Amino acid sequence: MNVRVLRIELKRSVAPWAGAVVLTTALAFLYLIPGSWWTGTTAWTAQWTSMALWTRSVLFYLWPLAVGFGALQGLRDHRSKMSELLTSTPRPVRHRAATLAGATAITLASAFVLLVVVGAVQVVANTEYTHLGWLPISLVGALSLVAGAVLGMGVGRALPSVLTPPALAMGAFVFTALMQMSLGRTETTTATGLPSTEPNRVSLLSPAVQEVRDALVTLSASVHVGQTIWLLAMAVTGFALLVAATPRARLLALTPVLAGAVIALLVLPSDPRRIYVVDKAAAELVCDGPVCVTKMQQARLADLAGPGKEALRLLHGALGSQAPVSVRESTAVLPEGSMPQWSRTTVLFDFDDDVIAAAKGKELTWALIAKGMVPGCSPVGWSSFGEDEFAQTVAVGWVLGELRPLPSTLPARLRREADAETRPVWKKLKALPRAEQFLRISAMRAAALSCKGDAFAALNGGASR
């Protein structure tokens, strides 16, 4: 295909419109609709892998659009009533099909690349950690749009009806939705008895990925390989349908996509823990004395080191030999709904934790003390407000010798509620002899670290739940 032919094809096809719609709707979704892709370490402009995964997540509706536009493009010869004329020309049909598919493929791939470039420009400004592990995620995303459009063209050529494009687009959307909601997820029960769902290998036949829950998580290599096989097979079937002239040839054209699905399912991991995996290079620890962060967050170590060391000093002064001896960013990625796991000797924290994220300056020391005393027992992926937050406030006040509100982004109403709950318990605790105070604090920490008791009730002298 030469440049002149390509230019003519772009002028007389819907390919430029398809690329423009894909790019503008994706940017509108990511910029105008508030969501978890805006905030924290998993924001789509915060880290390279998060950016790649978030731009893949919007394929749940971009891919059906590409399929629909492809089907519309496949109807062009039928609408112009020139199919018989084109078959009588000496130019091979595969050449015309390559021109048609190439123009759409270039515009859709370019649109997705531009989307990634918009995110990449902002990621460069927001992080010092660079790597190429995100590139396969984005390349598979671009391939999915191309494969979907070519498949749509083939189906549009094989089923030349005005209803084919909308029906195909809606079918593709239902497919991506079901892969993320029901058919592509397996119900499980965590060790604590809480219900949960996990993605299965079938869900990976969809080009879209689930929401980014942890900045350290990426897709495994086997996922990239399996999805690439599936998408290439899809593109081959689409092209075969474009050039097929008989019903028998159209049936044979379905062979690649069926074989590709079988091979892909054999390659794709069956264990959910091998689908989304921890990026070991990004999770490598970088330390300043007893204070450590992941390599991904290395730029934040300078601001954290001082408050971290001060928090350890204050905890040692209050707890003595029972105090933790190090501060470390958590690198554990647990299944959604499972209970977190804490350490007596290490203050584990997450930069996305509400208290840590809201803390600045001296408040960061208080926040780390809170995580060392009562790290929190909400199931992974759940949010809550109540007993743990109240226990944190009292515990930090006990270490500092003064009750102070913890840094928080909570509304004023909830902060007033927290003060009303904690102040009476604080006064009651401080009225006790020092030895009795220490016993209650120890009981509180035991309940908080094991997640098997009521930390706030322990401060009040109550029994663990």
Side-chain angles (χ1 to χ4, degrees), residues 213 335-338 378-383:
R213 196 164 51 83
E336 188 169 358
S338 60
S378 295
V380 174
W382 295 29
S383 60

Side-chain angles (χ1 to χ4, degrees), residues 286-359:
V286 180
C287 300
D288 182 345
V291 181
C292 301
V293 298
T294 60
K295 193 173 182 180
M296 179 180 285
Q297 301 294 344
Q298 185 174 356
R300 305 174 76 163
L301 180 59
D303 294 332
L304 185 75
K309 294 173 183 177
E310 178 64 10
L312 290 176
R313 186 187 68 80
L314 292 170
L315 285 168
H316 184 268
L319 298 174
S321 61
Q322 296 184 20
V325 295
S326 62
V327 174
R328 178 167 62 84
E329 181 184 358
S330 176
T331 58
V333 179
L334 302 174
E336 188 169 358
S338 60
M339 296 303 291
Q341 300 173 2
W342 305 115
S343 168
R344 284 185 174 274
T345 58
T346 302
V347 178
L348 296 172
F349 72 94
D350 190 319
F351 283 111
D352 285 331
D353 180 88
D354 290 340
V355 177
I356 299 291

Side-chain angles (χ1 to χ4, degrees), residues 206-227:
S206 168
V209 298
Q210 66 180 10
E211 290 191 354
V212 186
R213 196 164 51 83
D214 194 300
L216 295 174
V217 168
T218 187
L219 289 171
S220 64
S222 57
V223 172
H224 301 320
V225 174
Q227 290 184 329

